[in-house]
């Protein structure tokens, strides 16, 4: 059996940092375990007494998934902490990534059930600690990382000069699925989505009438197209040379399923409806239909065969020495935009539900993003609190 890589060599500071993170993970997880046990006991008592009889099946499922995901993250935190304290990093990265997925699931369920609440900030803080720990869990020690960084910079310069930067050098896929590529795919597709929807609305839906189709609080971004492009890229990266009909069918199914999920999520969490295809040909609960699935299929073909190569060429125009700094700044701004959009939507929902602002953030939204502002910004969206299914 091979020893765990690097924990006893290299800079002594690295093992010490790992042990500190290990203790934090252990203590944090251990403190929360009794709380989780009490929650499970309370849930069991609620089922026994029939308190859940008035809740929908989906609400019950989401509650159980939230508790299960939180339990997994807490238990994994303790296990990972023990392993780091003992100097064992083998499979620690896989465990950390599993915890990140569990936290993401818990975040989505919590948001749908309770809206913006204190629990979301706790989950966000836990995710931040996990990201920092994940960096140090990496098996490369600091001196090895520095060497790898210099080698990557040399390779990046060579690839930029050759015009091959961003391509999958292994040949297994078309592009490298790294953060840089995926982030700019999201941004550019989000902007392109707004342009496409605006043109379609002006020419087809309501001729001559312009309607703001943006999906975020600031900027010309439609995140449903951004995430849709990410899904298309992840699913079709290895099949970019597949027959057009295969790309079309896979894109239609993925796009339709994604559109259905987003519609369901928005209605469940905020009572929001941004589109309704009820009465159209082969619609599925009014959330997607045959025509728009075909449009997703066409967009998938155009994306893989034409847009993605052009996008890589455009992104590579960013000077290679600046690209990571620019990407980091833009990513921070996009995260801020996304978080504030969720907060503003939740405050809009609360105001329509007759709830007065009860903290500074909600008051800020009431002052700067009132109902009229939100209606003008999200012209295609309507919110009906009675249509939401969350518990509060």
């Amino acid at each position: 059996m091979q020893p765990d890589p690097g924990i006893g060599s290299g800079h002594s500071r690295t093992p010490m940092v790992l042990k500190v993170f290990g203790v934090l993970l252990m203590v944090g997880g251990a403190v929360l375990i009794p709380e989780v046990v009490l929650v499970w006991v309370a849930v069991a008592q609620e089922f026994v007494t029939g308190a859940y009889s008035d809740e929908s099946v989906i609400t019950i499922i989401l509650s159980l998934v939230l508790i299960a995901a939180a339990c997994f993250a807490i238990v994994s935190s303790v296990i990972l902490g023990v392993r780091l304290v003992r100097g064992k990093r083998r499979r620690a990265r896989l465990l950390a990534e599993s915890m990140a997925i569990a936290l993401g699931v818990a975040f989505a369920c919590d948001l749908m059930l309770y809206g913006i609440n204190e629990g979301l900030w706790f989950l966000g803080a836990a995710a931040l600690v996990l990201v920092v720990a994940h960096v140090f869990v990496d098996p490369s020690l600091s001196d090895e990382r520095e060497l790898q960084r210099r080698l990557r910079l040399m390779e990046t310069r060579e690839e930029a000069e050759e015009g091959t930067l961003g391509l999958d050098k292994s040949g297994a896929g078309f592009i490298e699925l790294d953060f840089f590529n995926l982030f700019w795919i999201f941004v550019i597709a989000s902007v392109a989505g707004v342009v496409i929807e605006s043109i379609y609305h002006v020419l087809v839906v309501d001729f001559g009438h312009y309607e703001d189709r943006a999906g975020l609080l600031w900027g010309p971004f439609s995140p449903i197209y951004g995430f849709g492009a990410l899904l298309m890229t992840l699913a079709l990266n290895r099949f970019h040379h597949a027959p057009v009909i295969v790309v079309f069918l896979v894109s239609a199914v993925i796009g339709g399923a994604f559109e259905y999920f987003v519609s369901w999520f928005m209605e469940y969490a905020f009572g929001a409806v941004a589109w309704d295809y009820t009465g159209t040909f082969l619609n599925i609960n009014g959330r997607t239909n045959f025509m728009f699935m075909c449009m997703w299929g066409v967009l998938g073909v155009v994306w893989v065969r034409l847009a993605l190569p052009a996008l890589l060429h455009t992104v590579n125009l960013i000077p290679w020495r600046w690209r990571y700094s620019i990407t980091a700044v833009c990513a921070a701004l996009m995260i801020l935009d996304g978080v504030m959009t969720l907060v503003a939507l939740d405050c809009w929902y609360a105001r329509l539900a007759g709830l007065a602002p009860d903290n500074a953030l909600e008051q800020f939204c009431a002052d700067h993003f009132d109902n009229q502002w939100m209606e003008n910004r999200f012209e295609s969206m309507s919110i009906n609190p009675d249509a939401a299914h969350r518990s509060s």
Side-chain angles (χ1 to χ4, degrees):
M1 179 180 295
Q2 295 181 348
D4 287 323
I7 204 69
S9 60
H11 296 294
S12 60
R13 180 175 56 183
T14 302
M16 180 57 65
V17 173
L18 286 173
K19 291 182 184 296
V20 171
F21 276 117
V23 171
L24 290 175
L25 291 170
M26 287 172 55
V27 172
V31 168
L32 291 175
I33 285 179
E35 190 71 24
V36 171
V37 173
L38 292 176
V39 170
W40 274 110
V41 171
V43 169
Q45 291 175 344
E46 294 286 338
F47 273 104
V48 171
T49 59
Y52 275 102
S53 59
D54 295 332
E55 300 287 354
S56 68
V57 174
I58 295 180
T59 297
I60 296 173
I61 291 175
L62 287 175
S63 300
L64 294 177
V65 171
L66 169 60
I67 296 172
C71 288
F72 177 84
I74 291 171
V75 173
S76 299
S77 174
V78 175
I79 295 174
L80 179 59
V82 171
R83 293 185 64 82
L84 292 181
V85 169
R86 297 179 62 186
K88 296 183 177 180
R89 285 188 290 175
R90 191 178 303 279
R91 291 184 292 275
R93 178 171 229 169
L94 178 61
L95 188 58
E97 291 171 351
S98 300
M99 288 172 58
I101 294 174
L103 288 171
V105 171
F107 185 94
C109 292
D110 197 320
L111 179 63
M112 285 189 284
L113 287 169
Y114 308 112
I116 304 297
N117 62 90
E118 294 81 359
L120 293 182
W121 306 117
F122 169 77
L123 292 172
L128 179 61
V129 172
L130 186 61
V131 168
V132 176
H134 187 273
V135 172
F136 287 94
V137 164
D138 191 285
S140 301
L141 295 176
S142 56
D143 53 349
E144 294 172 329
R145 275 202 287 268
E146 178 62 21
L147 177 60
Q148 291 174 356
R149 186 186 69 81
R150 294 181 181 181
L151 290 174
R152 281 196 300 269
L153 287 177
M154 293 175 60
E155 293 173 356
T156 299
R157 186 190 315 194
E158 293 173 357
E159 292 172 17
E161 293 173 352
E162 296 171 357
T164 60
L165 192 61
L167 296 177
D168 187 350
K169 295 181 287 296
S170 70
F174 179 70
I175 68 167
E176 286 283 354
L177 299 177
D178 55 20
F179 176 79
F180 177 82
N181 283 337
L182 294 179
F183 173 76
W184 287 108
I185 285 173
F186 173 82
V187 172
I188 294 176
S190 295
V191 175
V194 171
V195 174
I196 293 172
E197 275 215 40
S198 299
I199 294 175
Y200 178 79
H201 187 272
V202 169
L203 297 180
V204 179
V205 178
D206 190 358
F207 185 80
H209 174 68
Y210 171 79
E211 186 175 87
D212 194 343
R213 311 297 290 186
L216 292 180
L217 210 57
W218 300 297
F221 305 111
S222 179
I224 185 174
Y225 285 95
F227 285 114
L230 290 181
L231 287 175
M232 296 294 182
T233 303
L234 294 172
L236 300 173
N237 191 42
R238 290 177 173 268
F239 304 100
H240 58 282
H241 288 313
V244 170
I245 186 62
V246 174
V247 177
F248 173 85
L249 291 175
V250 173
S251 301
V253 172
I254 292 176
F258 178 65
E259 188 174 35
Y260 186 98
F261 170 77
V262 172
S263 173
W264 173 80
F265 174 84
M266 290 172 59
E267 184 174 353
Y268 197 99
F270 302 106
V273 177
W275 60 86
D276 186 0
Y277 306 139
T278 302
T280 59
F281 180 65
L282 292 181
N283 77 91
I284 305 176
N285 296 334
R287 303 188 188 281
T288 189
N289 63 11
F290 178 78
M291 184 185 75
F292 280 98
M293 289 181 71
C294 290
M295 291 181 65
W296 278 105
V298 172
L299 285 175
V301 173
V302 173
W303 176 257
V304 171
R305 295 299 175 84
L306 300 176
L308 195 54
L311 181 147
L312 277 182
H313 175 74
T314 302
V315 170
N316 282 334
L317 296 177
I318 301 175
W320 69 273
R321 287 183 176 275
W322 301 348
R323 61 180 53 226
Y324 300 112
S325 300
I326 293 175
T327 300
V329 172
C330 291
L333 294 175
M334 286 297 295
I335 291 173
L336 175 63
D337 199 356
V339 170
M340 284 303 299
T341 299
L342 288 175
V343 172
L345 286 174
D346 188 71
C347 293
W348 189 16
Y349 166 91
R351 290 194 299 270
L352 293 177
L355 303 176
D358 61 358
N359 58 57
L361 183 58
E362 290 184 0
Q363 188 59 53
F364 175 85
C365 289
D367 293 339
H368 296 83
F369 310 117
D370 59 16
N371 294 355
Q372 186 63 47
W373 194 97
M374 295 294 286
E375 290 173 3
N376 292 336
R377 177 58 176 174
F378 303 102
E379 292 186 68
S380 63
M381 182 186 299
S382 61
I383 288 184
N384 178 11
D386 294 332
H389 303 281
R390 70 192 198 189
S391 299
S392 63

